Amino acid sequence: VEKIIFTLLKQFDFMKRITIIDIAKMLSVNPSTVSRALADHKDVSSETKRKVRECAEQFNYIPNLHARFFRLKKSTQIALILPEVNMFFTPSLLNGLYAATEENGLSVVVFYSSNNLIREQESIKKCLSWAVDGVIIICSDETKDDSHLQDLVKAHIPVVLLDKVVDSDICQSVTIVDFDIAFNCCNILINKGCKSILAMFSSARFLMSQKRKKGVNEACTRSNISLENVHIEDVSSIEKTIMTMDLSKFDGIFVMSDEILFYLVGALRRIHFDINKIKISAISDGILPKNLGFDIDFVHHSGYEMGHTAVQRLIDQFT
Amino acid sequence: VEKIIFTLLKQFDFMKRITIIDIAKMLSVNPSTVSRALADHKDVSSETKRKVRECAEQFNYIPNLHARFFRLKKSTQIALILPEVNMFFTPSLLNGLYAATEENGLSVVVFYSSNNLIREQESIKKCLSWAVDGVIIICSDETKDDSHLQDLVKAHIPVVLLDKVVDSDICQSVTIVDFDIAFNCCNILINKGCKSILAMFSSARFLMSQKRKKGVNEACTRSNISLENVHIEDVSSIEKTIMTMDLSKFDGIFVMSDEILFYLVGALRRIHFDINKIKISAISDGILPKNLGFDIDFVHHSGYEMGHTAVQRLIDQFT
DNA sequence: ATGAAAGCGCTAACAT
DNA sequence: ATGTTAGCGCTTTCAT
């Protein structure tokens, strides 16, 4: 009888997805034995393992992960909540993150918040439904606190805040120490002899901007350097912003990110400002400074590393 | 008795995840009724629906998607196979793609191939295990044909090739018509009076480079313009490449992508070449040309739109 | 309009 | 080393 089934299945293997039960029938063993064999469980004879694996291979057995996850109530899958993909920092961040998840056999489900708090909250609900093993979240620009993360913590799902973070007691963060890096970056200008610095930040609504601003302020205060701060609310209007200013009074510009740097340099070129007349120092992953054609100092801020670390931190919490 | 259960559950709602069965018990109805009510099935009384929804809300019912997917043998989830995330085209592509999936209530599982064919093949196996409803794949640089996609097609899982594609009869592609866009882009230079053109491409190993090269060749041949082709195998060595050339003999440069454009301009600046002396025309999404500080013509190549379209094409195949 | 019952594929106690 | 059994939570057919 098994022979017949075997032959029949062989004929239909192009349409039928083989299950563990099918394999069990064919080999006249119990499904649990097959399951154990495939999982390389120690107390299955190597002979049985061989037969099972051969058969699975033969009939192109594909495990049904939903059945497995359902049964196990876990999923080797993590969620990534992403506000948007910009060209400056996100790419290296994602490369680091995906590399780390692949290394650890984790799958990533992406939920896209469009930089919108409501959507971010919805994404968190989805994480619960999906029974993900962990969540990495890059907060939207609208996110001000971690209250919506409570549900995840309650459900014992580890959470790591990445890059754009909010202050939180209930979950870990992987981000740069904004104050320090800005402080150091600004000091590059100061050490090079700048006496009057223009510092450019993203919108003051972002925690990141505020913290970096404090670092810059501290650096300038300590060295008694004249400082003017500018917040760029919208990169497309950066040209207008700098045109209203008298740039000649500055001998150094601090720039808080690659994004601002990119648009700043574009704007300066369009108004034919001679960039060689001024020193620029930026917080950057290094690609832009090397390719914009000027001496631009930078403090290295590695997205790749951060993405990689975030996954590691998450895994550490799996216990 | 139900009252007691109700009260008990209420006390423990912070630790217990409520299921449909729990709700059914509490309301003394059948689980199937609850399931139907939550799905807004037509022949459930509105009174019952109200009660069920109220209770679900009350106890923070979270559906178990793995159970549902397991049962239904489908998942409202698609896979994205991604070679890597670069800063030039991928961000807008991903934004378009994620926006479209969110609009359509689909989740995205990302598999990362690290530009590696073996990993790409493994990812395809994973797609089968995951029982995804469809697959969007951006081919790795190593991918030369669609043979590994056969398994997906056999399993009736729709596949859309995106951006970096290979020729395929078995699945759809969403990509630019390389020949045409390169032809048009090169003609911009010709129409502006260029007589001697340098054309810069990515590695000749890529189908995309070959096709765009043909477009450029055709444009130049038709107008009887002198043409020299260069392939950039590695962007970091672009400076060396152009230093070995006599750029003064060209009056126009065609550039096949934002990535090449970015590094080309960086290199030209580093060797203090006066970019205003030459016309540049690129295939680009437009951000770079507007911010590099020179007149750079471009033919617009929208990643966002392509990402969005790819999802649409996939959904069209769900039927 | 609702209930009863079966089963998706898998794994882990618990037997033997 | 292998078999038996039960059940994860959900949906759907069929019955009432």
Side-chain angles (χ1 to χ4, degrees), chain B residues 5 68 93 117 121 142 184 214 270 295 306:
Chain B
I5 295 172
R68 177 182 292 164
L93 197 73
L117 180 56
Q121 288 162 339
E142 297 179 0
N184 293 335
K214 282 184 189 151
R270 267 180 266 118
D295 263 343
M306 269 180 43

Side-chain angles (χ1 to χ4, degrees), chain B residues 289-306:
Chain B
K290 284 178 194 147
N291 285 283
L292 289 173
F294 306 101
D295 263 343
I296 294 176
D297 289 298
F298 65 95
V299 177
H300 189 224
H301 180 15
S302 166
Y304 188 93
E305 210 178 288
M306 269 180 43

Side-chain angles (χ1 to χ4, degrees), chain B residues 19-20 32 35 61 68 71:
Chain B
T19 69
I20 285 186
S32 58
S35 174
Y61 166 72
R68 177 182 292 164
R71 173 67 228 244

